Amino acid sequence: MEIAVGALSGMVDALPAKLGDLLQQEYTLLSGARGDVGFLQSELGTMNAALLRCESLESPDVQTRAWVAQVRDLAYDIEDWIDLFAHRVDGGAAASPGAAAATSSSSSSGGFLSWVRCCVNKVTTLPARHVIATELQELKNRVIELSEQRKRYRFDPPARHAGGRSGVAAVDPRLVALYADTSSLVGLDAPVKKVSEMVVDDGTTGLKVVSISGMPGAGKTTLATAVLRRLKEENKFHCSAFVSVGQKPDIVGKTLKGILSQIGNGYAGGEDIGRLIGMLRDELKDKRYLIVIDDLWGRTEWSTLKCCFRDDNLGSRIMVTTRNDELAKECSSNSDESVYKTGLLSDADSKDLFSNKAFGKGKDCPNHLKDLYDIIVERCGGLPLAISSAAGALAHRFSKDEWERYESNLLPSSHSDELNLKQILNLSYNDLPSHLKSCMLYLSIFPNKYEIDVERLVRRWIAEGFIADARHASKEETARSYLTDLISRNLIQALHLRHNGTPSCYTLHPVIHDFIVVKSMEENFVTVLDAKKEALSTNNGTVRRLSLQNSVKQDLAGARNDMIKHARSVTVFGHANGVPRLNDMSVLRVLDLEGCNGPLCLDGLCKLILLRYLNLRGTDVSELPAQIGELRCLETLDVRSTKVKELPASIVSLEKLMHLLAGNAKLPGEISKMNGLLTLSCANVWKNTGSVLPELADLANLRELELFCDASEISGDNKTRVSFSSDGFKRLKQLSIQGSLPSVAFVNSSLRKVEVLELKYEKGISDGSNGVSGIEHLPSLKHVLIEFSQKDAGATATIASVRNAAEMVHPNHPDVSVKVDGKAI
């Protein structure tokens, strides 16, 4: 069993820097406390190196695993201590690096009064500083104890043999694909034909590279092997070879020598890579060859390997299999036409494959197992390796109890097929850098087959602290690049593409989902409680992130308050009665109750001083606490589709609030002072009491604005037309207007930064006139999206007018996408 360090090493690696920031700020620490902080900073750096060493162990002992678990808990507690520090000393006023400098400047200008205030502050915060110093000493003692343990226990990898391998050589989990009986393969006829045609039937005489990419377990190796067999039988090539590179490549000893041994008379030379490449090129001279490079992981290995293959214009071919779509494109001769993306099996093929292995070829599932059979096959999601693994584990077993135990258990059995599947998935997980491991494990919070909204996920990642600051990109842009990387690695799936080709939602394949839930349990990263099943978490320790699924009133019967009081995030899917008491959850950063049904209790909400993300969308909440302005760390507030009628005035004091999704709630006065807002979603801005649009126009940093409108609520002269003037909204990039607004007009040089315009109407104007004018006055416009719930004369006129302006008048000729009744036209 490999050790589950994963995301932990990245977290511990970040702590010394956070402690360093604490030392640089002018907080008043008790005598000796500053030295203790410095000690923690130094010791944690050494501890992270030890963690990385532990991660390299293939079979860690019980003591090593226990040590890693203790480091994990310590790291969480230190980070919580750091984040709580400033708030307990001065209520969060010094929570930012600039606060100390402001205090220093005030002292120099205020003279005696500033000195008096400083003295009073020291006295009034003395109890809090004593508590902080005591906690710091406790943390220091824990660090010392763990350091002593590290010295007592040696975390050295086992002795390595001369061949570079430790202990018994691991069996390649893909070997079964190399020697599979072709008669037992299901659903491969069409893919084999297609890839064979891509390899040989395009008339190209020059060297060509064809790549096969897809998620782990999708049958890439099996497909490449089947294509190789077919082309060898047809005598299309003078010689051929099949070699696997793998995650830990041995280019000299395994790959190059392997190719030489298959196309020539073997190899008896030395270990010089230059000489090997020369010999291989000589062997391939004047030959039409087919080489399969299986399981390629890195660009460096490909850069070396492609030097080996000479091009004599004889129609030679290279096939590459990889889990990374971007790498597949880089290897291929043509990034689009020479890449084959493996798909999933159909329901019929999935059942055929399962039945053949579990019951025997041509035999059907026994009647008493049919319900479980359907559930298990569906859970495999058409993934060939998962289907084979499940069928192998249940082969020739006809007890319903055994099948029920298998269906309810996420953890792999000891059956070799199941362990083989876990090993293959582990390869993809272990290849992730630490920051992507954290982001990947975080997806285990969401239920199986859940469609995860991009904005929701990105904002949650940021609130959790997973996204580091970058010099040339915002945190949102960095988070989206992480998602792109995970898609490229075929670990997550994109859904519902937008106008620019980016997805609006993501989901996980059921097998990948089960795998990361188990990983999260191993690392105590997420605790999942499902009311329909037994508690999925096997950890008895402190809960750090809690996901309640299919929740009911009794969900937390097995999770004591002392276990969940250190939770950093709480997410509930189901009934609101499953929400734990908030009063004692002092380190909570994320509270996501979207879609919870039933009455919701928010007692203690305003005590969550570290809360950064609050999602109440689609709940029965009708009022927010008046003191919500005390949540000084809050970055996202979502109350769309709730019964909240008015936002408390104290919201204006939330200086860190970036995303305010207000729904139908009335906005507070002086909203123009909320200069931190990047995203605003609201309704009724044209109420009969007067428009608040001019106030919104003064929001200096607003990037995205979503307006829900009702024509019946527009007052006075604006009854038939709403205009956006040339003043205001200086940085707005995306504008969305939805509802029954009759007409929108843009004047010359208005909304100069807007790149995306979304207009979603219930219906067109009743008199059949155009509902949108002046888009040619939006100088930065790139994309226009128009949707109508129904087609009528007004809709037709509006669509024609916008298309004409985009094609004939606007200098940028922006793209125009149109949907009517949900269908693109």
Side-chain angles (χ1 to χ4, degrees):
M1 174 183 177
E2 73 287 339
I3 197 160
V5 173
L8 174 62
S9 59
M11 177 184 173
V12 176
D13 187 44
L15 283 179
K18 294 192 73 169
L19 287 166
D21 290 341
L22 195 65
L23 287 175
Q24 289 178 7
Q25 297 176 24
E26 294 184 9
Y27 292 116
T28 304
L29 292 166
L30 291 181
S31 177
R34 191 169 284 273
D36 289 342
V37 171
F39 171 82
L40 291 183
Q41 183 183 23
S42 174
E43 191 62 31
L44 283 169
T46 305
M47 197 171 286
N48 191 56
L51 276 175
L52 294 174
R53 192 168 183 80
C54 291
E55 193 173 18
S56 68
L57 300 178
E58 293 181 4
S59 299
D61 57 25
V62 175
Q63 289 177 329
T64 302
R65 290 198 293 269
W67 184 82
V68 169
Q70 290 181 69
V71 172
R72 180 183 298 116
D73 279 340
L74 175 63
Y76 280 126
D77 290 341
I78 290 176
E79 187 171 45
D80 289 342
W81 180 87
I82 295 171
D83 290 345
L84 282 171
F85 179 88
H87 296 276
R88 294 192 295 188
V89 170
D90 55 12
S96 64
T103 301
S104 176
S105 174
S106 174
S107 296
S108 61
S109 61
F112 178 73
L113 288 178
S114 296
W115 178 81
V116 170
R117 282 195 296 269
C118 182
C119 291
V120 171
N121 180 64
K122 286 184 178 181
V123 173
T124 56
T125 62
L126 187 60
R129 287 185 286 123
H130 271 294
V131 172
I132 290 169
T134 300
E135 292 175 347
L136 180 58
Q137 186 61 45
E138 292 173 355
L139 292 171
K140 178 182 177 181
N141 292 339
R142 288 170 63 185
V143 169
I144 292 173
E145 172 58 26
L146 286 176
S147 297
E148 291 298 321
Q149 286 185 23
R150 189 183 72 243
K151 295 173 184 176
R152 290 197 298 267
Y153 310 135
R154 293 181 59 85
F155 304 131
D156 295 323
R160 303 179 73 86
H161 296 283
R165 299 188 178 110
S166 58
V168 179
V171 177
D172 189 334
R174 291 165 294 103
L175 280 178
V176 64
L178 301 180
Y179 302 102
D181 180 5
T182 54
S183 63
S184 68
L185 302 179
V186 173
L188 268 186
D189 290 345
V192 168
K193 180 181 179 182
K194 175 63 177 177
V195 176
S196 297
E197 290 173 351
M198 291 171 66
V199 171
V200 298
D201 292 344
D202 67 348
T204 302
T205 58
L207 179 65
K208 179 182 177 182
V209 181
V210 174
S211 296
I212 301 173
S213 69
M215 65 182 294
K220 300 180 293 296
T221 299
T222 302
L223 175 58
T225 303
V227 171
L228 178 62
R229 287 176 181 170
R230 172 174 173 165
L231 297 180
K232 286 175 68 174
E233 290 171 358
E234 295 175 356
N235 293 318
K236 297 284 187 180
F237 298 90
H238 299 136
C239 61
S240 62
F242 185 107
V243 289
S244 293
V245 179
Q247 198 175 64
K248 298 179 180 179
D250 181 1
I251 297 297
V252 172
K254 182 179 176 182
T255 308
L256 298 184
K257 291 183 180 180
I259 297 174
L260 279 168
S261 66
Q262 294 177 59
I263 65 171
N265 298 317
Y267 174 71
E271 301 294 319
D272 182 74
I273 190 170
R275 184 182 177 198
L276 280 167
I277 291 173
M279 293 178 64
L280 184 51
R281 290 179 65 87
D282 289 342
E283 284 286 349
L284 295 175
K285 185 177 181 180
D286 298 329
K287 293 179 181 177
R288 189 185 191 206
Y289 56 85
L290 172 61
I291 310 292
V292 178
I293 307 297
D294 182 48
D295 199 30
L296 184 68
W297 288 80
R299 294 169 176 79
T300 302
E301 290 74 35
W302 175 244
S303 296
T304 300
L305 289 172
K306 66 182 181 181
C307 297
C308 304
F309 307 123
R310 61 187 306 143
D311 185 5
D312 293 330
N313 287 313
L314 296 174
S316 295
R317 298 291 185 262
I318 308 293
M319 273 197 297
V320 173
T321 74
T322 179
R323 305 182 187 198
N324 191 312
D325 290 345
E326 290 303 313
L327 182 58
K329 292 178 182 179
E330 291 179 22
C331 294
S332 300
S333 299
N334 184 306
S335 60
D336 294 320
E337 298 178 3
S338 299
V339 176
Y340 182 84
K341 183 72 177 285
T342 55
L344 300 171
L345 295 179
S346 66
D347 289 343
D349 285 340
S350 296
K351 290 182 176 180
D352 284 346
L353 179 59
F354 188 98
S355 297
N356 289 346
K357 188 159 187 176
F359 312 119
K361 193 168 185 178
K363 295 182 179 180
D364 293 329
C365 173
N367 288 332
H368 70 288
L369 297 176
K370 278 193 177 295
D371 290 344
L372 290 167
Y373 164 78
D374 290 339
I375 292 172
I376 292 171
V377 172
E378 182 183 6
R379 180 171 133 185
C380 293
L383 190 67
L385 182 60
I387 297 168
S388 297
S389 299
L394 295 170
H396 310 300
R397 298 184 183 185
F398 301 100
S399 166
K400 190 170 184 178
D401 288 342
E402 287 187 272
W403 280 58
E404 286 177 342
R405 283 195 299 272
Y406 180 89
E407 187 276 328
S408 64
N409 188 12
L410 283 178
L411 292 168
S413 70
S414 58
H415 191 277
S416 60
D417 289 313
E418 287 283 276
L419 296 178
N420 186 45
L421 173 60
K422 182 183 179 184
Q423 184 180 351
I424 283 180
L425 295 175
N426 258 326
L427 290 173
S428 286
Y429 175 77
N430 292 335
D431 188 56
L432 296 173
S434 60
H435 64 274
L436 284 185
K437 284 179 179 174
S438 297
C439 293
M440 187 70 193
L441 290 180
Y442 198 70
L443 301 181
S444 63
I445 285 175
F446 299 93
N448 188 24
K449 297 184 179 179
Y450 193 88
E451 294 189 3
I452 308 168
D453 179 76
V454 171
E455 310 299 336
R456 183 182 182 185
L457 180 60
V458 164
R459 291 164 188 166
R460 287 188 57 148
W461 276 354
I462 293 171
E464 290 273 4
F466 296 158
I467 311 300
D469 290 313
R471 180 173 297 179
H472 300 297
S474 67
K475 286 188 175 182
E476 286 80 4
E477 291 170 333
T478 301
R480 292 175 193 279
S481 72
Y482 289 1
L483 285 166
T484 300
D485 198 347
L486 291 173
I487 288 177
S488 177
R489 294 168 183 265
N490 284 290
L491 290 174
I492 63 175
Q493 300 171 355
L495 299 174
H496 312 309
L497 296 183
R498 295 189 179 111
H499 56 87
N500 56 359
T502 62
S504 61
C505 294
Y506 295 91
T507 192
L508 290 167
H509 187 278
V511 173
I512 300 290
H513 180 268
D514 287 356
F515 173 76
I516 65 166
V517 168
V518 173
K519 275 290 179 186
S520 288
M521 289 166 13
E522 292 175 351
E523 297 207 20
N524 194 25
F525 194 85
V526 173
T527 300
V528 179
L529 297 178
D530 192 331
K532 291 185 178 179
K533 301 179 181 179
E534 296 180 2
L536 298 183
S537 176
T538 58
N539 291 297
N540 295 318
T542 301
V543 173
R544 301 294 178 176
R545 296 177 184 88
L546 179 63
S547 175
L548 295 173
Q549 300 177 9
N550 305 302
S551 68
V552 293
K553 291 183 180 181
Q554 294 80 18
D555 274 350
L556 289 178
R560 303 185 311 272
N561 284 339
D562 61 329
M563 292 177 62
I564 63 173
K565 68 179 183 180
H566 293 289
R568 294 162 163 241
S569 75
V570 171
T571 310
V572 181
F573 303 93
H575 201 282
N577 281 332
V579 179
R581 283 169 42 88
L582 302 178
N583 301 68
D584 301 323
M585 306 183 75
S586 61
V587 297
L588 196 68
R589 277 89 162 167
V590 172
L591 180 60
D592 192 339
L593 308 179
E594 181 173 323
C596 284
N597 47 61
L600 190 62
C601 177
L602 296 179
D603 291 350
L605 175 67
C606 296
K607 294 181 180 179
L608 307 179
I609 58 176
L610 296 184
L611 193 67
R612 300 169 186 167
Y613 180 94
L614 177 58
N615 185 0
L616 303 173
R617 184 179 187 179
T619 65
D620 287 343
V621 66
S622 58
E623 187 178 9
L624 294 178
Q627 300 81 16
I628 197 169
E630 295 176 8
L631 301 178
R632 299 189 183 185
C633 292
L634 196 63
E635 298 170 349
T636 298
L637 173 62
D638 191 346
V639 293
R640 290 173 293 178
S641 303
T642 66
K643 299 175 183 178
V644 176
K645 295 181 180 179
E646 185 173 355
L647 298 180
S650 64
I651 279 182
V652 176
S653 65
L654 296 175
E655 296 180 358
K656 293 188 177 182
L657 192 65
M658 295 184 289
H659 311 287
L660 177 57
L661 312 172
N664 288 318
K666 180 182 177 182
L667 297 175
E670 300 184 324
I671 191 172
S672 58
K673 294 181 179 180
M674 301 184 70
N675 289 325
L677 282 184
L678 301 177
T679 306
L680 176 62
S681 175
C682 58
N684 308 324
V685 295
W686 291 284
K687 279 279 190 181
N688 292 327
T689 54
S691 174
V692 297
L693 200 61
E695 277 197 73
L696 303 185
D698 290 336
L699 292 170
N701 294 301
L702 196 65
R703 302 293 196 276
E704 297 181 22
L705 177 62
E706 182 179 49
L707 301 174
F708 294 89
C709 306
D710 186 343
S712 65
E713 297 174 337
I714 302 175
S715 61
D717 297 336
N718 291 329
K719 194 70 177 178
T720 59
R721 178 168 295 243
V722 172
S723 298
F724 287 85
S725 68
S726 58
D727 298 325
F729 297 112
K730 300 296 185 182
R731 296 188 178 182
L732 193 69
K733 289 191 173 184
Q734 180 168 324
L735 173 64
S736 175
I737 303 176
Q738 304 184 36
S740 58
L741 189 65
S743 179
V744 178
F746 303 100
V747 302
N748 190 30
S749 297
S750 62
L751 307 179
R752 299 191 62 83
K753 297 285 187 179
V754 167
E755 298 177 358
V756 179
L757 176 64
E758 295 184 354
L759 303 169
K760 300 180 180 180
Y761 295 156
E762 294 175 3
K763 57 184 178 180
I765 297 177
S766 58
D767 63 5
S769 60
N770 172 31
V772 180
S773 62
I775 70 165
E776 64 272 16
H777 298 317
L778 306 179
S780 301
L781 193 63
K782 297 179 180 179
H783 305 281
V784 182
L785 293 89
I786 305 179
E787 290 188 19
F788 285 94
S789 298
Q790 61 188 50
K791 189 173 183 179
D792 52 30
T796 302
T798 300
I799 292 169
S801 173
V802 170
R803 280 180 165 163
N804 180 70
E807 295 172 5
M808 307 299 294
V809 183
H810 200 293
N812 296 345
H813 306 297
D815 297 329
V816 178
S817 301
V818 179
K819 283 186 178 181
V820 176
D821 193 21
K823 298 178 182 178
I825 61 172

